[in-house]
Amino acid sequence: MTGLSAFDLTGKLAVVTGARRGIGLGMAEALAAAGADIVAVSAHQEPSGSEVEARVTALGRRCTALSADFSDRAAVADLAAALAGLDRPVDILVNNAGTIARAPAAEHSDADWDRVLTVDLTSQFALTRAVGAGMIERGRGKIVFTASLLSFQGGINVPGYAAAKSGIAGLTRALANEWAGRGVNVNAIVPGYVETDNTQALRADPERFAAILDRIPAGRWARPDDFAGVAVFLASSASDYVHGALIPVDGGWLGR
């Protein structure tokens, strides 16, 4: 494909985890606008009547809702089985589900560490392994992880999250090395500071909010719709020769 037709997702099925709100909701809507039907997955995803369903169906696309607790390995295995049992194969997997725990490292509990690593890294691998196997068999597929600025930096008071997101960077490259020659693209989006529930504590702290904003060359925090273009790009044939990339959408933060 050439030109804008390379971004057309008509006929594709995209699974978006963490689709109930924030970045995941925005990416699900963007993929639907490009033509994809959506499987929206979240820990508390409503079976019907959700915001993501409303947005996707308003664009004339189908939305299937599934719930899965990403802190539970058995639940992730059940999700993988449910996806394998759909009436069509998964063309696009957007691994966006995540959680965070904020506490100084000396006070960071084992429970918080285990939960964050399981949700943000272990479950991402388990689901990708299952869905990716089918993509390899068919010789095509797009996998997109949500990484973080903390895939490159250490952050403050979020050691588990920083470790998990650093792991996502490595996992993106590792899978790309194995699967690029099998027709499967594996890449990651690197969000900067975004106006979502996960950053509410930071935005409520006047000093931290000001310090962060002062470092962003774009002069504002990101909004979920800022990820629409890169999500469609990485999910489409326009990115067929892009493998193992971590693409910042950060208002210039990493270049500062």
Side-chain angles (χ1 to χ4, degrees):
M1 290 187 185
T2 59
L4 292 178
S5 62
F7 296 89
D8 185 6
L9 300 179
T10 300
K12 302 295 185 181
L13 181 64
V15 174
V16 182
T17 69
R20 188 170 178 266
R21 59 189 182 182
I23 296 174
L25 174 59
M27 291 195 289
E29 183 177 19
L31 297 178
D37 292 318
I38 304 297
V39 179
V41 184
S42 286
H44 303 290
Q45 186 65 53
E46 305 93 328
S48 62
S50 66
E51 177 69 15
V52 64
E53 178 186 66
R55 294 191 190 187
V56 169
T57 56
L59 292 164
R61 308 312 309 169
R62 190 171 77 178
C63 184
T64 302
L66 296 175
S67 63
D69 179 357
F70 286 87
S71 68
D72 181 345
R73 290 195 185 194
V76 175
D78 289 344
L79 171 61
L83 295 175
L86 295 175
D87 59 1
R88 53 200 283 206
V90 174
D91 301 293
I92 301 156
L93 172 61
V94 179
N95 284 301
N96 176 70
T99 190
I100 195 166
R102 299 184 185 278
E107 303 166 15
H108 205 77
S109 70
D110 288 349
D112 280 345
W113 175 272
D114 290 345
R115 176 174 58 85
V116 171
L117 267 291
T118 298
V119 172
D120 291 2
L121 182 58
T122 302
S123 290
Q124 309 297 317
F125 171 67
L127 183 60
T128 302
R129 178 180 57 195
V131 174
M135 292 178 172
I136 290 169
E137 289 180 4
R138 295 187 298 276
R140 64 184 186 279
K142 301 282 183 173
I143 295 170
V144 182
F145 287 99
T146 298
S148 168
L149 294 179
L150 301 195
S151 298
F152 303 97
Q153 302 174 334
I156 299 171
N157 296 333
V158 285
Y161 185 82
K165 290 301 185 177
S166 295
I168 287 294
L171 182 59
T172 297
R173 298 183 182 109
L175 296 181
N177 286 342
E178 291 192 37
W179 295 353
R182 310 290 292 277
V184 179
N185 296 76
V186 185
N187 295 290
I189 296 170
V190 182
Y193 286 90
V194 191
E195 295 176 351
T196 65
D197 292 348
N198 269 1
T199 60
Q200 179 58 43
L202 293 179
R203 289 183 287 120
D205 182 332
E207 290 187 9
R208 289 282 285 135
F209 178 81
I212 290 168
L213 184 62
D214 185 59
R215 180 176 161 160
I216 302 173
R220 66 171 177 85
W221 285 47
R223 299 181 295 265
D225 59 5
D226 286 317
F227 302 89
V230 69
V232 172
F233 168 64
L234 291 178
S236 72
S237 62
S239 63
D240 279 353
Y241 199 62
V242 179
H243 296 279
L246 285 89
I247 301 179
V249 183
D250 64 353
W253 174 281
L254 287 174
R256 184 67 179 264

